[in-house]
Amino acid sequence: MIRPEAGDAGTRVLRRLHPVTKFALEMGPLAVFFIANAKGGIYAATGAFMLATLIALAAMWYLARKIAVMPLVSAGVVLVFGTLTLVLQDDHFIKMKPTMVNALFGIALLGGLAFNKPLLPYVLGDVFELTDEGWRVLTIRWGVFFLVMAVVNEIVWRSVSTDAWVAFKTFGYLPLTFIFAMAQMPLMTRHGIAPGAEK
């Protein structure tokens, strides 16, 4: 992890999370969810997932002094749907959480593009520099991917057992996302901009 350099008094210096640390914080709640479901069932897993999500967010803030938009939105949906699951004792709500998060991200990306307000550069702009066309195509692809994953989650949780759905959420969603992200590298290479270069 990159440590902050000394700055003027009262100036907050942001730090960047090491990729391994970021991955662990994002995967930690899912691992807790899977283990808690195996030990105590879906309701115990939901409570543990909510707590682990809050702890992961607190750790992100402590280490980087900022929280990315996607984990923050996802955590908000986890807390809302997790609370509904526990209060109403209905596991449909926690199963619908990935559907809602993916649909929200997909609609936000494609909707922003439709209004000529691409949002993806705000999420990835501090990591990658692309041409306007590169951001446009990448935004379309990620928007469609999120919508497809929303549909996939609906099909899976309505078709298989709770334990099978938990396993898919823990071990299926991440590999699919990783494979899709890797498939975008040729596009990002073609439309990449050297640091400091003008578009």
Side-chain angles (χ1 to χ4, degrees):
M1 180 179 63
I2 300 176
R3 297 292 180 184
E5 296 178 357
D8 296 335
T11 300
R12 185 182 66 177
V13 181
L14 300 180
R15 292 171 278 186
R16 181 173 296 176
L17 286 176
H18 189 282
V20 175
T21 302
K22 184 175 182 294
F23 178 78
L25 290 175
E26 292 177 351
M27 281 301 298
L30 282 177
V32 169
F33 184 62
F34 179 78
I35 295 170
N37 180 73
K39 298 288 185 180
I42 189 64
Y43 297 112
T46 298
F49 187 38
M50 294 168 65
L51 180 60
T53 298
L54 289 175
I55 293 173
L57 284 183
M60 288 179 187
W61 175 258
Y62 176 77
L63 294 172
R65 291 297 186 267
K66 67 176 180 178
I67 301 175
V69 174
M70 293 179 70
L72 190 60
V73 172
S74 182
V77 178
V78 166
L79 295 178
V80 171
F81 280 73
T83 299
L84 290 172
T85 298
L86 297 179
V87 171
L88 301 178
Q89 289 292 286
D90 186 345
D91 63 2
H92 288 110
F93 290 103
I94 196 64
K95 291 177 180 177
M96 291 172 60
K97 174 262 174 184
T99 300
M100 298 303 296
V101 170
N102 284 300
L104 180 61
F105 287 153
I107 292 171
L109 289 176
L110 296 179
L113 199 61
F115 288 97
N116 201 29
K117 298 288 186 181
L119 302 178
L120 202 58
Y122 293 100
V123 179
L124 299 177
D126 60 340
V127 181
F128 304 104
E129 289 191 61
L130 305 178
T131 63
D132 290 341
E133 177 64 11
W135 283 122
R136 188 186 71 82
V137 176
L138 192 64
T139 297
I140 292 174
R141 291 185 181 184
W142 274 108
V144 172
F145 173 78
F146 282 128
L147 293 180
V148 169
M149 291 305 295
V151 173
V152 169
N153 182 70
E154 283 295 297
I155 294 173
V156 171
W157 81 259
R158 293 176 186 273
S159 305
V160 302
S161 68
T162 296
D163 289 344
W165 172 78
V166 171
F168 168 78
K169 175 177 170 58
T170 307
F171 302 109
Y173 184 85
L174 183 65
L176 289 174
T177 304
F178 180 78
I179 291 171
F180 179 81
M182 291 299 99
Q184 308 316 306
M185 294 308 296
L187 168 72
M188 299 171 73
T189 299
R190 287 197 305 272
H191 293 278
I193 299 176
E198 294 183 359
K199 293 184 181 181

